[in-house]
Amino acid sequence: MTQRITLSIPDMLHEKMEKWRQSFNLSKMFQEALAEAIHKKEEFQKRFQQESDIPEIIERLRAEKLQSEGNYSENGRAEGLQWARSAHYEDLIYAASLDVSHDIAQDQRLGTYFTELMDDSLFRGKSPGELEKYTNLFFDGWRRGVAEFWDEIKEKL
């Protein structure tokens, strides 16, 4: 059994097709081209599934994602520790008391410090969604670094 379908082609191609219509069996050409395209897709999927272990690939990508995210968090922590070591006492107390819901990038007291950090190559070239995600990871790490420093020295003051 055969099925009829309708195809759309650009006007320019239609004009050329009409000129050569008697030279071609268009139905057979389409069938062969479609069969070949489907065969290539099926072969690719078959090869992909045979040659690669999908769970292994997913696990590798998860690990790379964690490493990437961890780097931003750890870089933020290191930056927070460095900042805390040179911060004035009142700024240190202020920063250590900020909760996670506080937008430290827009903070009047600390904002210029973070504006300069955001221009760093660490964040360049990121899409808006990526930028938000990675800056949040960085800021969380920064807060953790400041908190670790403060927890270490507050009893000694």
Side-chain angles (χ1 to χ4, degrees), residues 16 18 26 35 43 47 60 62 77 119 123 125 131 137-138 142 145-146 153 156:
K16 289 182 178 187
E18 287 300 317
L26 297 175
E43 285 298 309
R47 244 187 355 263
R60 176 184 56 82
R62 275 189 189 136
R77 180 181 165 275
D119 291 337
F123 299 102
L131 185 60
L137 289 166
F138 182 87
W142 188 89
V146 170
I153 65 152
K156 298 172 184 164

Side-chain angles (χ1 to χ4, degrees), residues 31-128:
Q31 290 172 25
E32 289 172 354
L34 181 60
E36 178 64 23
I38 290 172
H39 177 73
K40 285 181 180 177
K41 288 274 190 187
E42 289 174 342
E43 285 298 309
F44 174 77
Q45 287 181 342
K46 185 178 171 184
R47 244 187 355 263
F48 182 74
Q49 291 173 353
Q50 288 175 347
E51 293 175 5
S52 303
D53 184 12
I54 298 299
E56 231 175 71
I57 292 171
I58 290 170
E59 190 58 38
R60 176 184 56 82
L61 291 173
R62 275 189 189 136
E64 290 173 4
K65 177 183 175 191
L66 285 173
Q67 181 182 7
S68 175
E69 291 174 353
N71 288 344
Y72 280 89
S73 181
E74 188 53 37
N75 286 340
R77 180 181 165 275
E79 188 66 38
L81 282 168
Q82 182 179 346
W83 177 87
R85 286 185 178 116
S86 62
H88 291 284
Y89 175 77
E90 289 181 12
D91 290 337
L92 181 58
I93 292 173
Y94 176 77
S97 70
L98 296 176
D99 65 23
V100 288
S101 65
H102 184 79
D103 186 0
I104 58 177
Q106 301 300 321
D107 186 86
Q108 289 183 345
R109 195 169 190 167
L110 302 170
T112 51
Y113 167 76
F114 288 108
T115 303
E116 293 169 10
L117 276 178
M118 294 300 99
D119 291 337
D120 187 0
S121 63
L122 184 67
F123 299 102
R124 236 178 258 133
K126 302 282 185 233
S127 70

